[in-house]
Amino acid sequence: MALPPPPPASARDPVTPEGRPGPVTPERGASGPPSQAQPLLRQEAKGEEEEGEETGVLGAWGTGAAGQGWRGWGEAAEAAAAEAEEGQVAARGAAAAGAGGGRGGWRRLLARLRRRRPQCCPCAAPLPRSAAHCCHGGTKMAALAYNLGKREINHYFSVRSAKVLALVAVLLLAACHLASRRYRGNDSCEYLLSSGRFLGEKVWQPHSCMMHKYKISEAKNCLVDKHIAFVGDSRIRQLFYSFVKIINPQFKEEGNKHGNIPFEDKIASVKVDFLWHPEVNGSMKQCIKVWTEDSVAKPHVIVAGAATWSIKIHNGSNEALSQYKMNITSIAPLLEKLAKTSDVYWVLQDPVYEDLLSENRKMITNEKIDAYNEAAVSILNSSTRNSKSNVKMFSVSKLIAQETIMESLDGLHLPESSRETSAMILMNVYCNKILKPVDGSCCQPRPPLTLIQKLAACFFTLSIIGYLIFYVIHRNAHRKNKPCTDLESGEEKKNIINTPVSPLEILLQSFCKLGLIMAYFYMCDRANLFMKENKFYTHSTFFIPIIYILVLGVFYNENTKETKVLNREQTDEWKGWMQLVILIYHISGASTFLPVYMHIRVLVAAYLFQTGYGHFSYFWIKGDFGIHRVCQVLFRLNFLVVVLCIVMDRPYQFYYFVPLVTVWFMVIYVTLALWPQIIQKKANGNCFWHFGLLLKLAFLLLCICFLAYSQGAFEKIFSLWPLSKCFELKGNVYEWWFRWRLDRYVVFHGMLFAFIYLALQKRQVLSEGKGEPLFSNKISNFLLFISVVSFLTYSIWASSCKNKAECNELHPSVSVVQILAFILIRNIPGYARSVYSSFFAWFGKISLELFICQYHIWLAADTRGILVLIPGNPMLNIIVSTFIFVCVAHEISQITNDLAQIIIPKDNSSLLKRLACIAAFFCGLLILSSIQDKSRH
């Protein structure tokens, strides 16, 4: 069976600005099949990739959607290798295994291997490097089993089947969550007040939603001109103190413990009172009754509760419980009336730690407390006959106390950390719907659709309808052309003509799939259909997944097609493993651990380093400064982000990395395209041009330094309209300045490295043959030693960082040390350049989509939390959500590739017309955005 021709692929860099920054390989072709067992979903191909083939900057990152065969990890390459090696035992074994479909094929293969005598010969199937020179049948069998094992995986699990499985999983999960919402209710406030668990010693996680930790300024802003009243016993007094300390941490727990305690912040106009009413009796009833009168100002929030004093004073008698029921029955209508205009919460009694109770409190048992709580719940919930009670039960403190009461000093009152958690829950219940914090999804309603979002929904709906109509028409035409039987000869006549897929069909199909994917994005992070949880960092949640992916990366190792420095497979591998580490860093919340944060900063800098290296290499060698090249790069970088800005109602700067690489690409382009245009072909004739290029780079460095230390000038430039619409976040461009300044030199370092490397390569200073060290043995060993020492030195320095601000200040200047050290360690030994991890390389090809999609369909609340598709099982939830997330990212990569071929044509006249349409689209978008901003204000 012949290997089908590779589908067309396009050029682009998933996370760096376009294709994949890779090596300078002018002589390299793009039509060869992938290496054996290479985990690629698409083969590298000719066609659009020819633009960047010479430098490795561009490459296959997506194939056409129509008529494309889908392959699993190494599927196509494995089949080709097996066919090519007919007559060898490995090929016969692979065929037998494939034909036998499992155990039968394996048995036949092993039987043949047993009958064969060990001999020194090239293995039928490519072997791992460690077995390349083997002369033993046992080693050969192990190597064949290794390759066949991967082939079996690829045979039964292709990318197409994976995406179908992901689609089915999404539909089932959406149906389950929708049914659960209808059955259990859609009010996340109830979950916040009644359920949750501890993620760590002091981190409380409400069920199905995220809790925001309010700062002093936020609390004052929320409670301005508000009056909050706490009514009850000593436990309510504790809750009062913790609540006030959110507003004023210096507030001391002083005053009469058995009396009223006032608090007022006159600047913020916030008033919080504690009213001492330790029993549910006539005194408490009179206090509440006063607030029900029309002429009296009512508190905006009332928090009440009491029971332990009644148990203590009456020695836990049943008569006291009966009286409690009568008293709370008389108070219930008053609380219900207040709840129509104010937020009223009844705090259920927390359990006690009976072993620590003093003698005069021994009668306060958990059994008695449960009886009083049951009485309060039944009476307050039945205070209204035909509707649900407006008085909310604050029962979550019971769950908190069950975990922490043993830390109590007296067995009755909760430790301070537990009181702070309860107070923060109260703050979330009241303030989330007012301030709408991003990471406070509890008690927040679904945000209303904006005008732009409604128009986007209409567009995608029309695209889906249009594609369905097109599909039905095309299918009917296909049926008419079915083979018909000739009555005379009895043979079938085939009238089918293989017509090429029209651009309109590809366009409609792409927007149809994109519309469905965007609906999933919206459901995950805007519609409150799926659950969300806060992040919680532990060392195991970060480092154990790192070990897992390292093992997988080592398992899928292959020989590279070429052995040049930073060859294409190697740069894809580099981007792939860095992207996986960054994803694990984000989902584990490892930013709170400074050593990990500093190393992740180096990985981000390494992406930008590849941006400078890849684009410089392309322009230097090809000299292609045409508008088509620029538009292709900008489209592939920004298409997904623009769509998400529209669908998810987020500013462009929110997805900070894309603006960063976009600006740096334009900086590189302008630097090299401005007169005099200096390229390698011109410089080879006269060394003076090398000096001219260095002057250009020096001027670029000077501009970078000026903007880095002139924040005012930087902000003035990017605050100009319409740049401000792109780079402002929360009304200013400070975030953009911070992000740009943090890695301001690394792109320049990448350009300089590319220039030096290409110059050395041109003069044949480097030995880039297979298995050869890059330099002579002495120089290679010396540079390797220096690189390892530099790499470790940086890691030690980053691990010893004590202050994030100080380390960030040094990072732009020193991050290049570890980057260069890694490049030398990876490329100086010939054997290291000759192999790569196809597992990591596959992820490197879709790293841009992975980085952007994680914001909404893997993480939650715009990266602040974690998406929960399967509650109650964190491990299974991560596996399922990651599987769907990767499938979606890969599909978006293919969609972007297909649309790039249609929207950005090579013909200049057609391209200019398309650019005019794109400009009109963005002008309309700016106008609509301005209208939205005015309506919000």
Side-chain angles (χ1 to χ4, degrees):
M1 181 181 71
L3 182 67
S10 73
R12 109 170 244 245
D13 181 18
V15 167
T16 50
E18 52 162 309
R20 288 179 300 287
V24 181
T25 55
E27 70 282 4
R28 181 178 163 195
S31 58
S35 60
Q36 178 114 354
Q38 182 178 354
L40 301 180
L41 296 178
R42 316 178 282 291
Q43 303 173 41
E44 298 196 340
K46 294 180 180 179
E48 200 59 36
E49 184 177 345
E50 292 174 355
E51 293 186 1
E53 190 62 39
E54 287 79 356
T55 62
V57 174
L58 303 178
W61 67 280
T63 56
Q68 175 186 332
W70 299 49
R71 292 265 184 184
W73 285 356
E75 204 175 345
E78 294 285 356
E83 294 292 337
E85 296 291 340
E86 292 181 4
Q88 296 288 340
V89 63
R92 293 197 300 270
R103 296 181 180 177
W106 282 92
R107 290 195 185 103
R108 284 191 291 274
L109 169 64
L110 294 174
R112 287 193 185 97
L113 290 173
R114 290 192 191 101
R115 289 195 298 269
R116 289 177 63 87
R117 294 166 54 191
Q119 55 185 344
C120 286
C121 64
C123 298
L127 299 178
R129 189 170 185 85
S130 59
H133 303 288
C134 70
C135 292
H136 303 284
T139 308
K140 217 188 300 185
M141 282 179 60
L144 289 171
Y146 169 82
N147 284 311
L148 287 170
K150 288 191 287 187
R151 186 176 294 122
E152 285 291 306
I153 295 173
N154 295 331
H155 178 72
Y156 291 106
F157 192 75
S158 65
V159 178
R160 187 171 190 174
S161 62
K163 291 182 179 179
V164 171
L165 184 59
L167 177 61
V168 172
V170 168
L171 295 176
L172 289 176
L173 289 168
C176 291
H177 280 267
L178 188 61
S180 175
R181 295 279 182 181
R182 287 182 175 273
Y183 176 73
R184 302 177 62 180
N186 198 29
D187 187 5
S188 58
C189 273
E190 291 189 5
Y191 297 131
L192 178 61
L193 291 170
S194 62
S195 59
R197 70 184 192 278
F198 274 103
L199 296 179
E201 294 182 0
K202 299 180 181 179
V203 180
W204 181 254
Q205 172 58 60
H207 175 69
S208 82
C209 62
M210 296 170 58
M211 192 171 76
H212 178 65
K213 187 173 182 180
Y214 278 89
K215 300 176 182 177
I216 299 172
S217 58
E218 293 174 325
K220 290 182 177 180
N221 187 28
C222 169
L223 300 176
V224 63
D225 295 328
K226 298 295 188 297
H227 178 203
I228 296 93
F230 288 81
V231 183
D233 55 13
S234 58
R235 287 178 159 187
I236 299 297
R237 184 181 65 236
Q238 280 191 315
L239 187 57
F240 159 79
Y241 278 127
S242 296
F243 188 87
V244 169
K245 286 181 178 179
I246 298 176
I247 306 168
N248 181 9
Q250 283 74 41
F251 187 74
K252 297 181 180 180
E253 300 184 14
E254 297 176 345
N256 184 7
K257 292 185 176 180
H258 295 170
N260 298 340
I261 305 174
F263 169 81
E264 185 174 6
D265 189 324
K266 295 183 178 179
I267 298 175
S269 187
V270 179
K271 185 178 180 181
V272 186
D273 289 329
F274 168 71
L275 305 178
W276 173 254
H277 292 283
E279 288 190 85
V280 180
N281 54 18
S283 174
M284 179 182 285
K285 179 179 179 180
Q286 183 60 32
C287 172
I288 296 173
K289 187 176 181 180
V290 170
W291 288 330
T292 61
E293 297 176 0
D294 296 335
S295 59
V296 177
K298 302 171 180 60
H300 297 87
V301 181
I302 300 170
V303 182
T308 54
W309 270 68
S310 297
I311 300 173
K312 176 183 175 182
I313 292 174
H314 301 285
N315 201 28
S317 65
N318 292 329
E319 291 78 7
L321 178 59
S322 300
Q323 185 63 42
Y324 180 84
K325 292 179 180 179
M326 293 175 58
N327 292 339
I328 203 169
T329 301
S330 65
I331 288 176
L334 300 176
L335 292 174
E336 193 65 36
K337 185 177 180 181
L338 273 175
K340 293 179 181 179
T341 56
S342 304
D343 288 353
V344 180
Y345 304 95
W346 186 265
V347 180
L348 298 183
Q349 294 301 300
D350 304 328
V352 296
Y353 192 51
E354 298 179 10
D355 295 343
L356 289 178
L357 292 175
S358 59
E359 288 300 324
N360 62 340
R361 291 174 175 169
K362 286 293 185 181
M363 71 291 296
I364 306 176
T365 63
N366 287 324
E367 183 181 356
K368 291 292 181 182
I369 285 176
D370 290 340
Y372 275 72
N373 283 337
E374 289 175 9
V377 171
S378 62
I379 293 171
L380 291 175
N381 283 339
S382 61
S383 59
T384 55
R385 294 182 179 179
N386 301 323
S387 62
K388 187 178 179 181
S389 174
N390 292 319
V391 179
K392 302 177 179 67
M393 294 293 122
F394 192 82
S395 58
V396 68
S397 60
K398 288 173 51 184
L399 299 178
I400 297 172
Q402 287 172 3
E403 300 290 335
T404 60
I405 190 63
M406 62 285 301
E407 300 174 16
S408 170
L409 297 177
D410 57 9
L412 179 66
H413 299 99
L414 294 177
E416 187 174 0
S417 61
S418 302
R419 291 183 284 145
E420 290 173 352
T421 301
S422 297
M424 193 60 70
I425 291 174
L426 275 176
M427 190 69 73
N428 273 261
V429 171
Y430 186 75
C431 292
N432 281 4
K433 56 182 176 287
I434 298 174
L435 298 184
K436 296 180 175 60
V438 174
D439 60 342
S441 63
C442 299
C443 300
Q444 275 202 54
R446 181 179 62 83
L449 288 173
T450 64
L451 176 61
I452 295 177
Q453 286 176 315
K454 292 176 181 177
L455 292 174
C458 292
F459 171 78
F460 285 124
T461 302
L462 292 175
S463 298
I464 293 172
I465 295 172
Y467 176 69
L468 292 176
I469 294 172
F470 198 99
Y471 177 78
V472 170
I473 295 172
H474 180 77
R475 187 170 184 178
N476 290 336
H478 179 75
R479 285 179 177 176
K480 292 179 181 179
N481 290 325
K482 276 189 175 181
C484 57
T485 304
D486 190 333
L487 297 178
E488 294 183 3
S489 63
E491 296 179 353
E492 288 188 342
K493 293 182 178 180
K494 296 185 179 180
N495 299 323
I496 297 176
I497 299 175
N498 293 325
T499 56
V501 180
S502 67
L504 178 60
E505 182 179 359
I506 296 176
L507 195 67
L508 289 174
Q509 186 187 51
S510 297
F511 280 123
C512 175
K513 292 190 291 185
L514 186 63
L516 295 175
I517 290 172
M518 288 301 110
Y520 178 64
F521 272 75
Y522 189 85
M523 285 193 302
C524 287
D525 212 18
R526 291 295 180 271
N528 291 334
L529 176 62
F530 298 117
M531 300 177 180
K532 303 174 178 67
E533 288 188 355
N534 294 89
K535 299 177 184 178
F536 178 68
Y537 175 74
T538 61
H539 292 320
S540 60
T541 57
F542 177 76
F543 290 104
I544 290 178
I546 295 292
I547 296 173
Y548 286 163
I549 65 167
L550 179 62
V551 172
L552 286 172
V554 171
F555 179 75
Y556 282 98
N557 66 89
E558 311 297 336
N559 292 325
T560 58
K561 295 178 183 178
E562 58 181 351
T563 56
K564 296 183 181 297
V565 172
L566 291 179
N567 55 70
R568 173 166 300 177
E569 291 90 351
Q570 188 185 129
T571 53
D572 282 342
E573 172 202 87
W574 191 8
K575 286 182 292 183
W577 71 257
M578 287 195 302
Q579 185 58 59
L580 292 177
V581 171
I582 290 173
L583 290 174
I584 295 170
Y585 164 82
H586 282 155
I587 202 167
S588 64
S591 58
T592 57
F593 186 47
L594 193 54
V596 172
Y597 166 82
M598 291 306 302
H599 283 87
I600 295 298
R601 290 309 324 161
V602 175
L603 300 189
V604 175
Y607 275 113
L608 295 172
F609 181 92
Q610 289 190 46
T611 295
Y613 171 82
H615 289 302
F616 179 92
S617 299
Y618 178 84
F619 290 127
W620 174 248
I621 293 177
K622 295 275 288 187
D624 178 12
F625 298 100
I627 188 173
H628 176 262
R629 163 74 178 181
V630 176
C631 292
Q632 282 275 327
V633 173
L634 295 180
F635 180 86
R636 291 187 172 92
L637 278 176
N638 292 276
F639 172 72
L640 176 58
V641 166
V642 170
V643 173
L644 287 178
C645 288
I646 293 171
V647 174
M648 307 303 290
D649 190 28
R650 284 292 175 263
Y652 180 64
Q653 180 55 34
F654 175 75
Y655 307 93
Y656 73 93
F657 192 80
V658 171
L660 201 59
V661 293
T662 300
V663 167
W664 278 117
F665 167 72
M666 293 306 300
V667 168
I668 296 168
Y669 175 77
V670 170
T671 301
L672 298 178
L674 285 180
W675 184 88
Q677 288 186 1
I678 305 173
I679 60 175
Q680 189 181 57
K681 187 176 180 181
K682 181 187 291 187
N684 287 340
N686 191 341
C687 291
F688 171 79
W689 291 113
H690 288 89
F691 179 72
L693 181 62
L694 290 175
L695 287 179
K696 273 192 169 187
L697 294 179
F699 180 74
L700 173 61
L701 179 61
L702 186 64
C703 293
I704 292 171
C705 293
F706 171 76
L707 291 176
Y709 294 100
S710 302
Q711 183 178 353
F714 185 95
E715 291 183 351
K716 284 181 181 179
I717 293 172
F718 289 97
S719 295
L720 297 173
W721 193 90
L723 288 178
S724 60
K725 298 295 293 183
C726 296
F727 297 101
E728 279 187 357
L729 195 63
K730 299 179 181 179
N732 58 68
V733 296
Y734 174 79
E735 178 72 14
W736 164 236
W737 180 78
F738 171 77
R739 295 287 184 183
W740 178 86
R741 191 172 183 270
L742 199 56
D743 295 298
R744 57 187 180 271
Y745 298 130
V746 73
V747 174
F748 169 81
H749 291 148
M751 297 171 67
L752 187 61
F753 176 83
F755 174 73
I756 295 173
Y757 165 66
L758 294 174
L760 293 176
Q761 186 189 61
K762 191 68 179 177
R763 285 158 179 75
Q764 299 181 349
V765 175
L766 308 176
S767 301
E768 294 182 302
K770 189 169 185 178
E772 297 179 0
L774 201 59
F775 304 97
S776 63
N777 289 333
K778 289 185 178 180
I779 297 177
S780 295
N781 292 336
F782 174 75
L783 289 177
L784 267 179
F785 174 77
I786 296 297
S787 300
V788 171
V789 171
S790 301
F791 191 93
L792 296 177
T793 301
Y794 181 91
S795 292
I796 293 170
W797 170 78
S799 301
S800 62
C801 272
K802 302 299 181 184
N803 185 286
K804 183 179 286 189
E806 293 178 0
C807 293
N808 280 341
E809 195 65 31
L810 290 173
H811 168 76
S813 303
V814 300
S815 61
V816 70
V817 173
Q818 196 164 43
I819 295 171
L820 291 177
F822 171 79
I823 292 173
L824 293 177
I825 293 171
R826 185 70 177 83
N827 286 276
I828 287 178
Y831 61 84
R833 289 197 316 277
S834 302
V835 295
Y836 78 105
S837 170
S838 49
F839 174 80
F840 291 142
W842 185 84
F843 285 99
K845 295 175 188 299
I846 58 170
S847 54
L848 179 62
E849 288 77 18
L850 291 172
F851 187 86
I852 298 171
C853 290
Q854 68 167 329
Y855 278 69
H856 303 295
I857 63 170
W858 198 52
L859 304 174
D862 298 340
T863 74
R864 306 294 180 86
I866 299 172
L867 180 67
V868 179
L869 300 178
I870 302 177
N873 194 326
M875 182 60 68
L876 181 60
N877 175 68
I878 287 293
I879 293 172
V880 173
S881 63
T882 301
F883 174 70
I884 297 172
F885 159 60
V886 172
C887 289
V888 169
H890 182 267
E891 186 62 31
I892 290 177
S893 174
Q894 292 183 319
I895 291 171
T896 308
N897 171 64
D898 294 338
L899 292 176
Q901 306 308 313
I902 298 172
I903 297 176
I904 312 294
K906 290 186 176 181
D907 179 60
N908 283 337
S909 61
S910 300
L911 178 58
L912 291 176
K913 293 177 183 178
R914 304 283 172 83
L915 291 179
C917 294
I918 293 173
F921 167 77
F922 279 108
C923 287
L925 200 60
L926 287 173
I927 294 171
L928 291 174
S929 178
S930 300
I931 294 173
Q932 278 186 185
D933 291 341
K934 288 181 180 179
S935 63
R936 286 173 178 171
H937 293 316

